[in-house]
Amino acid sequence: MLFQKFKNNALVLFSALLFFSSLQAAPATSFRSEQTQVTVLSDMKQVRLGDTFYLALQYQLEDNWHTYSDPPGNLGYALKIHWSLPSGFEAGQILWPKPKRFDFAGVQNFGYKNAVMLLVPIHTSDSFSGSDTVTIKAKLDWLVCNNVCIPESFQLVMPLVIGAESQRSKDAAQIHQHLAALTSPEPSLSPTIALIFAFLGGLLLNIMPCVFPVLSLKALSIVSLKRNRRTVILHSLAYTIGIVISFWLLVFILLFLQKSGQFLGWGFHLQSPVFILFLSLLFIAIALHFLDCLPLPNWLLTLPGRLPQWGSKDESLSGAFLTGVLATVVASPCTAPFMAPALGFALTQALPMNMAIFTALGLGLAAPLVFLTLIPRLHRFLPKPGPWLIQFRKWLSLPLFLTAAWLFWVLAQQQDLFSSFSGSLLKQTTHQQPIDTSKKIQIIPFSQDTLNILKQGKKPVFVEVTAAWCLTCQFNKISVLNKNKTARLFQERNTLYMLADWTERDDEITVFLNTYQRQGVPFYIYFPGNGKAPVILPEILSFKTLETTLSSD
């Protein structure tokens, strides 16, 4: 009888231990008190061993409550984390945002009100040999204060899947956007400067090689219509509206995809082979139409507003609108001077400021033709309409065909359609070989881990972020980067050359661009290797600028 009682009690005790141990192992990624809510997020739902991922500690504080930064000031204490990580895993330092100053009775303290996100990098080891799922554990201790101060504590238990490839979570875009704001070496622009930069950037897009073929379409119709001032103004307005609405649509799509966890940047649509094929066929169709080899079907001619006759006196308002749409689509992958910092600023702001900056960008792109139509004195510089326009219209098919050929080349790069012979021949002048003296210079494929190692080695590194679909990038290669004197410069300065190819979608490159508040290409940055801050070069390169930068240390 006594043995039976002991047996029953032992079973109860064992069951209780199992129950409480299972409770302890259950995931715990959030904490709530009367004054604080904490949620722990990860940028990865699956991690490849050897990679680094980020945990985000998202604090939401009630009104009039605050917590402390590191250092906290004269009183209080900052968040302390006591980690219990799997073997080979290592937590980095907390990345603290810029704190606010609190003055109370002559005592200065530093911390955060309302909401703050703290990031912690977690480095994994490729020598880990445990299970496919590990548990990240930590004890978090912090202090929140109002008229009184309350110590709070939270035991984090977060499961993490280990896999062959890292897979981002739905929170990744938000975390990496915050990381970019924390680690950017450049001060943020003011809204006014960002708007001015956006307008100037849009204005300069008109001289980018990506825009010329489409700009020629609208210039042709302006010449045809210049005798009718009212019609010219309406066409100019329709062209402008087409540009601005297209920019709005692109940025809405980009923001939506980023919020859903996608790592995308400006020009993301040209990373799609399907879109590249569509765009190239569209340019061929327009060029054939200019040559009168592709008459438009009757059903299209009878549509409300009469869509067609691009570049002729019969062009409709809807045709002018579509020309603006087309100008935006082909201009968006290019980054003009002033445009890069404005875009980087825009995509970290609330929606109203975001839309204002992209509206300024669109107005800048439309400005030259708008000025041409609204200022009568400028009309005398336009040639008179006549039979020459028919021949000129046919000649304009040439840049359209060349643009289509370039887009087919981009498609071939994305799909690896070249044979080994033709591919090796083309690679001498494409994005896969930025310098034609490659035997003298070692091109290092981009990797953030490799870049970190090279920077620790105190050797200067030049990073080029490029894409085959960016004509500005290709112009810089031909005019500067592919020159023999550039190869000699890199040798003389003992500078390493790292190439980041963004022709196809690459999350690691996107994160790298976001780190420096950039959303598009080209992007060039030089790490001196002597502890000095990195130098960001202009989007339009010159050999003199490159030489001055590489010789600055």
Side-chain angles (χ1 to χ4, degrees), residues 75-94:
L75 296 174
Y77 60 85
L79 168 70
K80 297 180 178 64
I81 306 178
H82 309 280
W83 295 98
S84 178
L85 298 174
S87 176
F89 283 50
E90 182 182 350
Q93 297 295 316
I94 299 172

Side-chain angles (χ1 to χ4, degrees), residues 387-404:
W388 68 272
L389 273 178
I390 299 174
Q391 294 302 318
F392 183 64
R393 186 166 174 260
K394 291 181 178 180
W395 276 106
L396 280 179
S397 65
L398 181 60
L400 297 174
F401 278 125
L402 291 175
T403 304

Side-chain angles (χ1 to χ4, degrees), residues 218-220 222-223 226 229 232-233 236 366-382:
K218 196 61 211 155
L220 197 65
I222 291 294
V223 171
K226 74 168 193 171
R229 177 171 169 74
V232 167
I233 292 175
S236 173
L369 282 174
V370 171
F371 291 151
L372 189 64
T373 57
L374 294 182
I375 303 176
R377 290 182 180 179
L378 296 178
H379 291 187
R380 66 173 182 264
F381 296 106
L382 293 175

Side-chain angles (χ1 to χ4, degrees), residues 212-271:
F212 173 76
V214 179
L215 193 61
S216 64
L217 301 177
K218 196 61 211 155
L220 197 65
S221 65
I222 291 294
V223 171
S224 302
L225 296 167
K226 74 168 193 171
R227 293 182 181 277
N228 189 330
R229 177 171 169 74
R230 180 178 178 276
T231 303
V232 167
I233 292 175
L234 289 176
H235 275 245
S236 173
L237 183 62
Y239 173 73
T240 303
I241 293 173
I243 288 176
V244 172
I245 289 180
S246 299
F247 271 118
W248 287 353
L249 182 61
L250 280 173
V251 76
F252 271 125
I253 294 172
L254 177 59
L255 290 174
F256 173 78
L257 293 175
Q258 286 183 340
K259 290 295 183 184
S260 65
Q262 306 266 349
F263 289 151
L264 296 172
W266 194 242
F268 68 96
H269 50 297
L270 289 180
Q271 292 174 329

Side-chain angles (χ1 to χ4, degrees), residues 113-134:
K113 287 184 176 181
N114 301 321
V116 65
M117 179 182 283
L118 307 178
L119 300 184
V120 183
I122 306 293
H123 311 288
T124 67
S125 171
D126 52 13
S127 61
F128 177 77
S129 57
S131 64
D132 292 340
T133 302
V134 298

